[in-house]
Amino acid sequence: MPLAKNRAPSTDDRSNRICTMAKLQAIRGMNDILPAQSPTWQYLETCFARVVQSFGYREIRFPILEQTQLFKRSIGEVTDIVEKEMYSFDDRNGDSLTLRPEGTAGCVRAADQHGLLYNQQQRLWYQGPMFRHERPQKGRYRQFHQFGIEAFGMAGPDIDAEIIQLAAILWRELDLTDFVVLEINNIGSAEDRRHYGQALRKFLESKSEQLDDDARKRLVSNPMRVLDSKNPAVQAALSDAPLLADFVSADSQAQVRQLQRLLKAAGISYRENPRLVRGLDYYNNCVFEWTTESLGAQGAVCGGGRYDGLVAQLGGKPTLAAGFAIGVERLVLMLDSLQKVPDSSCQRIDVYVLVVGNNLAGQGLQLSQKIRDYYPQLGVICHCGGGKYNNQLKRAFNSGAGLAVILEREGDAETPLAEVKIRSLDDAGVSTTVAIGDSIEKVGEFLGISAS
Ligand code: ATP
Ligand code: MG
């Protein structure tokens, strides 16, 4: 029946409307990380923080939103990221803002703005979400997370070797060394690349019919980007293209040869890949990528290199720089599929406190906290929400706890209980009743631990 005109909607009308509304879903390519997946993330985050701190890197945090111009000027106008992947919008003042697609630009902006760069050496790390409007698939998302490090004020190649070594130590700590390989390349200076770009353009113009639209566009705007193409036909056309290595200055070549010696001395094996160019314009000289075969198509887990021109390009004083970024989701996928997350990193519940009956909630909460204070290593859940003994016991078993502490009484008395029952949550179900004052000690006895 249609609603009578001017009649205010009744509660029934409103709740009907709410019931029929579609449930809202997350944005495509933006993942929820559910409690069952958190232990892998926490394990990884703890391990990364431990490794970077052991190398003397200090954490920097900077905003997720920056001016669009920051990314255009650093990453490069003619790159996949800037051309088609950025989440940009005008805010209420009409300023163009962008959700950060990577961390280096924001890190440089923040460090320079606060005077951390001029005439100094800095070792910095960051972590957090990044945003790129890509086609979502396994290992490729629209919100994803990176760990990154940036080292400022050092010419290399020693610092280049150090950041590669840091990644290698991270793989060692995560037991992933056997599943990743390191590729390195020397992409020379911006000037070297300009000369190379001209030669590559000339070469590709003769192969024009083998290129796709994207490659043809890039041929005009930024020929080196064609090397990045994932289209097999384009890759075939590139098979006897001129090599960047032949255009790189002697100085730069000497530096990367020295880097290779340092890597060998550190026992880090690598593969030279003359086609490795990286998807961002700001790199120079040494660039590298760690890849894996365990993830299918999305094989890159860490990419980085030197970027000596970037600080000046963003308006700061010329500053030597190098860094890398790791894709956290891809590492999570690897750790889970290779079963590399130790059981000990899963959150444990040891004690479940049952609260059965009226007027016992306060005593339940207090006793639970007392157990936590005496045994900080334990996880303790205090049952909330009432319910029958059997239902609470079922929840206690489901929680994975080894021990139940049971506060139970019939009737409406308001005085605190004088006794509690303690019961092991295994098939034996051994139980005992003790005075409340002895319960803490008894919990320790049952679990075979003492107060720490
Ligand atoms: P790819 O070649 O896979 O697109 P990229 O060169 O664009 O990677 P970088 O910009 O170097 O990646 O970022 C560093 C790391 O971040 C990558 O090695 C990868 O592990 C991760 N990464 C990049 N884009 C995504 C994404 N859309 N989803 C998940 N991880 C990503
Ligand atoms: Mg990419």
Side-chain angles (χ1 to χ4, degrees), residues 206-217:
S206 69
K207 305 259 174 186
S208 173
E209 72 289 352
Q210 281 168 263
L211 304 181
D212 56 20
D213 283 352
D214 222 28
R216 254 180 242 123
K217 230 169 49 205

Side-chain angles (χ1 to χ4, degrees), residues 80-81 85 132 134 140 144 228 230 279-280 298 330:
D80 273 351
I81 295 179
E85 297 174 0
R132 296 185 193 176
E134 302 197 69
R140 189 176 295 287
F144 63 100
D228 245 1
K230 303 222 159 65
L280 305 94
Q298 307 338 308
R330 295 185 191 178

Side-chain angles (χ1 to χ4, degrees), residues 68-77 310 312-315:
T68 300
Q69 212 46 36
L70 175 69
F71 302 113
K72 285 195 173 168
R73 267 165 61 183
S74 54
I75 295 167
E77 298 263 2
L310 181 59
Q313 203 173 306
L314 291 176

Side-chain angles (χ1 to χ4, degrees), residues 138-323:
K138 183 183 169 197
R140 189 176 295 287
Y141 310 104
R142 291 180 172 174
Q143 175 175 319
F144 63 100
H145 296 74
Q146 287 184 338
F147 293 137
I149 64 171
E150 314 291 357
F152 296 102
M154 290 161 269
D158 45 6
I159 189 65
D160 309 346
E162 177 184 285
I163 63 177
I164 290 174
Q165 181 196 16
L166 189 154
I169 296 298
L170 182 65
W171 313 140
R172 186 190 77 185
E173 294 300 292
L174 296 169
D175 197 19
L176 294 178
T177 306
D178 293 344
F179 304 92
V180 289
V181 296
L182 171 63
E183 294 187 342
I184 64 174
N185 191 21
N186 183 0
I187 60 166
S189 64
E191 171 116 338
D192 298 340
R193 288 201 299 284
R194 207 168 35 252
H195 293 144
Y196 172 63
Q198 286 161 358
L200 187 61
R201 182 178 293 140
K202 220 182 218 162
F203 169 83
L204 285 172
E205 274 164 359
S206 69
K207 305 259 174 186
S208 173
E209 72 289 352
Q210 281 168 263
L211 304 181
D212 56 20
D213 283 352
D214 222 28
R216 254 180 242 123
K217 230 169 49 205
R218 280 164 183 220
L219 186 54
V220 181
S221 51
N222 188 350
M224 272 184 67
R225 283 273 84 78
V226 180
L227 300 181
D228 245 1
S229 169
K230 303 222 159 65
N231 180 343
V234 175
Q235 282 301 330
L238 284 165
S239 62
D240 49 355
L243 286 179
L244 176 56
D246 298 329
F247 291 75
V248 168
S249 70
D251 253 14
S252 171
Q253 283 181 19
Q255 175 153 1
V256 174
R257 269 200 304 277
Q258 176 61 9
L259 169 66
Q260 294 175 349
R261 278 194 284 274
L262 291 172
L263 292 178
K264 279 183 190 141
I268 298 170
S269 41
Y270 59 86
R271 205 155 63 195
E272 284 180 75
N273 176 358
R275 301 224 173 275
L276 180 66
V277 287
R278 315 279 303 113
L280 305 94
D281 274 355
Y282 51 62
Y283 286 107
N284 66 288
N285 288 358
C286 152
V287 294
F288 61 88
E289 214 163 71
W290 293 87
T291 56
T292 181
E293 290 188 348
S294 347
L295 292 177
Q298 307 338 308
V301 290
C302 170
R306 293 203 65 81
Y307 55 94
D308 297 314
L310 181 59
V311 179
Q313 203 173 306
L314 291 176
K317 299 243 167 34
T319 304
L320 300 161

Side-chain angles (χ1 to χ4, degrees), residues 354-373:
L354 279 70
V355 185
V356 188
N358 295 332
N359 307 324
L360 292 174
Q363 201 179 359
L365 293 168
Q366 275 168 30
L367 182 59
S368 302
Q369 190 49 38
K370 222 168 182 180
I371 302 171
R372 294 185 196 106
D373 287 343

Side-chain angles (χ1 to χ4, degrees), residues 35-40 42-43 341-349:
Q37 302 160 317
S38 299
T40 309
Q42 288 166 353
Y43 170 64
V341 183
D343 284 346
S344 58
S345 43
C346 290
Q347 191 181 344
R348 259 195 13 242
I349 291 303

Side-chain angles (χ1 to χ4, degrees), residues 14-26:
R14 282 195 297 266
S15 56
N16 277 347
R17 212 169 334 125
I18 288 166
C19 287
T20 53
M21 271 202 290
K23 268 194 200 167
L24 295 173
Q25 303 272 325

